């Protein structure tokens, strides 16, 4: 353990549950078609897969079996999640960083990086601009630095919730920041955060040590691996895990993510709320190691296999990926995407152009630079319902007591109506005429296939209220 970390700050019964040799022993074993099909059937019955079963799917590389895995992922996505896609955007608050992660534009060794921390006033200006585009959910992102303490993060979150602009307001603030100790997690929980995301980056110990220099805070593998255990212990039962694909064998990382998910499930009776699978992007001053680069085909496979392994966990695909990759992967089980994202600090108001560029002010290069309105329109055209819903979190429907998708009929009763009313808000308040036109059609089509009854009537009343009055934030 690094001298920078106090051993006593780890969670109760903290342990390193990643056994590299075991995970490696599961890979490169020829897969029997009959076994692959049995495992797919288990997943379609909505049962989470074990690490060993996930490995069998990873080992299935004949074109025929890969196609069966894709088809199953598409079906599971439809059965469990329906056709909603939740939208959010990132807000980069500060890029000071004490770490030197070799892949990141914010790393301390990148002297070309322009360092900046937004003031409270600047945060409010960014949030106003985001609200003005129609955003309701955002994720605040920080480097790791003593300045970005739990109190600072909590104050930033409160600042964001306090911004009101016209009909709009941010209703859910998720966080992507450094691991905290127990007290830190309690502090941010009190500020009303949504999900706290921490990515392990790579689960492979040697690869982890290679990209996170010893002696830095992030150089301590266990402090990071144990972080979300501390979050649960401290009452943050809404957490997100992730791996940065491109640092080690993609199949190993999938096994790491599934191991992490099962560890949280075993210890806290509740798995992670979301899984992220960012793919390494070019970044300022970063030399990418080509060895572990993940091709588009491998990326498709890993998303489909993750979908099958953790049927009830939300999956996030960010604008690191280009539009065409995102479009295709939505069908495989992705449930959340960001849109209209700006990665440079102050980027929502101090607009540079929206062109793709590697810039000293960004953490890495974006792949999809379309506006929120464009993304919403494309989703609608592709048959999805863009959703800004935050109802569960605001009604306390999180954590162990509540596995939203596990409850039969939940989507029809709550998710679809809430998705439609938040879409209606977007169409009335922010959409371009072209987006509004197609959005209204989708709402009508969705109503047409909804069974008649009290729920449908209530939804119709809510939609009408949004169109004819200033009333907003109507959910069930
Ligand atoms: N500093 C905190 C940390 O490292 O956990 C949180 C913020 S960090 C800016 C958010 C995530 O960005 C990291 O966890 C990493 O997975 C991802 N990231 C860093 N460099 C990247 C790159 N070049 N391409 C894609 N994602 C990257
Ligand atoms: Fe700092 Fe996070 Fe970037 Fe590492 S990934 S250099 S900790 S901002």
């Amino acid at each position: 353990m690094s001298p920078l970390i106090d051993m006593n700050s780890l969670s109760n019964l903290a342990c390193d549950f990643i056994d590299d040799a075991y995970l490696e022993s599961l890979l490169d074993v020829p897969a029997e078609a009959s076994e692959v099909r049995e495992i797919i059937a288990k997943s379609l019955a909505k049962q989470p897969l074990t690490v060993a079963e996930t490995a069998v799917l990873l080992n299935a590389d004949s074109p025929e079996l890969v196609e069966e895995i894709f088809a199953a992922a598409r079906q599971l996505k439809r059965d469990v999640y329906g056709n909603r896609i939740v939208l959010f955007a990132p807000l980069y608050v500060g890029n000071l960083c004490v770490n030197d992660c070799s892949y990141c534009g914010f790393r301390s060794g990148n002297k070309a990086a322009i360092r900046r921390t937004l003031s409270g006033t600047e945060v409010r200006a960014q949030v106003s601009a985001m609200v003005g585009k129609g955003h309701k959910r955002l994720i605040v992102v920080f480097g790791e630095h003593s300045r970005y303490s739990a109190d600072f993060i909590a104050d930033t979150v409160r600042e964001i919730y306090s911004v009101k602009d016209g009909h709009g307001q941010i209703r859910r603030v998720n966080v992507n920041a450094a691991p905290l100790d127990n007290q830190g997690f309690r502090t941010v929980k009190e500020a009303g955060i949504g999900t706290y995301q921490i990515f392990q980056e790579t689960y492979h110990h040697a690869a982890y040590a290679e990209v996170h220099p010893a002696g830095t805070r992030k150089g301590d593998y266990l402090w990071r691996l144990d972080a979300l255990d501390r979050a649960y212990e401290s009452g943050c039962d809404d957490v997100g895990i992730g791996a940065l694909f491109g640092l080690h064998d993609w199949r190993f990382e999938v096994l790491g993510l599934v191991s992490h998910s099962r560890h949280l499930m075993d210890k806290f009776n509740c798995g992670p709320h979301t899984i992220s699978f960012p793919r390494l992007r070019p970044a300022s001053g970063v030399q990418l190691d080509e060895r572990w680069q993940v091709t588009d085909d491998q990326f498709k496979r890993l998303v489909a296999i993750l979908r099958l392994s953790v049927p009830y966990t939300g999956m996030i695909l960010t604008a690191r990926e280009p539009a065409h990759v995102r479009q295709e992967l939505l069908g495989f089980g992705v449930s959340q995407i960001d849109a209209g994202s700006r990665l440079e600090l102050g980027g929502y108001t101090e607009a540079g152009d929206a062109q793709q560029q590697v810039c000293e002010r960004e953490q890495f290069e974006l792949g999809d630079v379309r506006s929120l309105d464009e993304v919403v329109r494309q989703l609608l055209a592709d048959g999805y319902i863009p959703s800004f819903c935050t109802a569960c979190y605001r009604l306390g429907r999180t954590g162990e007591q509540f596995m939203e998708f596990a409850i039969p009929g939940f989507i029809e009763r709550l998710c679809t109506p809430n998705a439609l009313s938040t879409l209606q808000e977007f169409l009335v308040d922010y959409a371009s005429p072209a987006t509004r036109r197609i959005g209204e059609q989708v709402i009508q089509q969705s109503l047409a296939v909804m069974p008649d009854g009290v729920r449908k009537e209530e939804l119709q009343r809510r939609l009408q209220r949004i169109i004819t009055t200033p009333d907003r934030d109507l959910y069930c």
Side-chain angles (χ1 to χ4, degrees), residues 82-137:
N83 59 349
R84 292 159 309 111
I85 298 288
V86 170
L87 292 163
F88 70 97
L91 173 59
Y92 279 72
V93 177
N95 66 355
L96 300 176
C97 196
V98 293
N99 294 318
D100 205 19
C101 313
S102 63
Y103 46 82
C104 176
F106 291 169
R107 70 182 202 284
S108 57
N110 183 11
K111 301 303 174 206
I114 299 167
R115 305 286 167 179
R116 182 169 174 194
T117 303
L118 300 184
S119 67
T121 311
E122 288 171 327
V123 166
R124 282 197 300 280
Q126 294 304 302
V127 174
S128 259
M130 294 169 86
V131 168
K133 300 264 184 249
H135 286 292
K136 298 286 187 276
R137 308 165 63 109

Side-chain angles (χ1 to χ4, degrees), residues 92 94-97 99 101-106 140-145 148 175-179 197-201 212 218 224 242-245 247 278-284 286 288 318 320 363-365:
Y92 279 72
N95 66 355
L96 300 176
C97 196
N99 294 318
C101 313
S102 63
Y103 46 82
C104 176
F106 291 169
V140 273
V141 185
F142 301 84
E144 178 159 5
H145 194 269
Y148 310 141
V175 178
N176 187 320
Q197 285 185 350
I198 298 175
F199 304 158
Q200 187 62 22
E201 318 297 11
H212 303 115
K218 198 154 166 182
R224 197 161 179 94
L244 180 55
F245 281 85
L247 299 178
R279 213 164 25 156
L280 203 52
R281 298 283 301 158
S284 150
V286 166
L288 291 187
T318 68
R320 289 173 178 87
Q363 189 198 7
F364 50 80
E365 184 184 334

Side-chain angles (χ1 to χ4, degrees), residues 66-312:
V66 169
E67 261 323 306
E68 288 182 37
I69 289 171
F70 288 163
R74 283 195 201 94
Q75 184 181 332
L76 191 67
K77 143 100 185 172
R78 269 194 308 272
D79 292 354
V80 177
Y81 293 85
N83 59 349
R84 292 159 309 111
I85 298 288
V86 170
L87 292 163
F88 70 97
L91 173 59
Y92 279 72
V93 177
N95 66 355
L96 300 176
C97 196
V98 293
N99 294 318
D100 205 19
C101 313
S102 63
Y103 46 82
C104 176
F106 291 169
R107 70 182 202 284
S108 57
N110 183 11
K111 301 303 174 206
I114 299 167
R115 305 286 167 179
R116 182 169 174 194
T117 303
L118 300 184
S119 67
T121 311
E122 288 171 327
V123 166
R124 282 197 300 280
Q126 294 304 302
V127 174
S128 259
M130 294 169 86
V131 168
K133 300 264 184 249
H135 286 292
K136 298 286 187 276
R137 308 165 63 109
L138 59 76
I139 181 155
V140 273
V141 185
F142 301 84
E144 178 159 5
H145 194 269
S146 54
R147 190 146 164 213
Y148 310 141
S149 63
D151 286 319
F152 183 88
I153 296 173
D155 287 344
T156 306
V157 169
R158 288 193 193 92
E159 195 88 71
I160 292 168
Y161 282 132
S162 75
V163 174
K164 297 194 174 54
D165 194 277
H167 289 317
Q169 189 173 12
I170 296 297
R171 298 174 183 162
R172 178 177 168 113
V173 182
N174 299 327
V175 178
N176 187 320
L180 301 174
D181 60 13
N182 287 68
Q183 181 50 47
F185 281 117
R186 280 191 284 275
T187 302
V188 294
K189 171 80 181 167
E190 276 162 26
I193 63 159
T195 308
Y196 201 104
Q197 285 185 350
I198 298 175
F199 304 158
Q200 187 62 22
E201 318 297 11
T202 169
Y203 285 90
H204 189 269
H205 289 75
Y208 189 93
E210 219 175 286
V211 293
H212 303 115
T216 59
R217 287 187 71 81
K218 198 154 166 182
D220 198 305
Y221 182 101
L222 182 58
W223 174 248
R224 197 161 179 94
L225 188 68
D226 180 57
L228 297 174
D229 292 47
R230 299 191 295 278
Y232 271 101
E233 269 183 0
S234 316
C236 288
D237 58 7
D238 186 338
V239 301
I241 62 173
L244 180 55
F245 281 85
L247 299 178
H248 189 63
D249 183 338
W250 62 275
R251 302 167 308 159
F252 185 96
E253 305 299 12
V254 170
L255 297 182
L257 287 167
V258 174
S259 306
H260 202 164
S261 172
R262 293 188 71 89
H263 165 79
L264 294 173
M265 192 57 142
D266 292 344
K267 189 165 168 187
F268 301 101
N269 212 14
C270 179
H273 188 67
T274 56
I275 291 193
S276 301
F277 32 90
R279 213 164 25 156
L280 203 52
R281 298 283 301 158
S284 150
V286 166
Q287 207 61 45
L288 291 187
D289 179 346
E290 311 271 297
R291 254 180 319 165
W292 303 114
Q293 219 171 16
V294 180
T295 64
D296 286 356
D297 282 343
Q298 292 166 338
F299 197 55
K300 257 167 68 174
R301 279 177 68 195
L302 79 87
V303 174
I305 292 171
L306 276 174
R307 175 67 298 142
L308 294 177
S309 298
V310 289
Y312 293 119

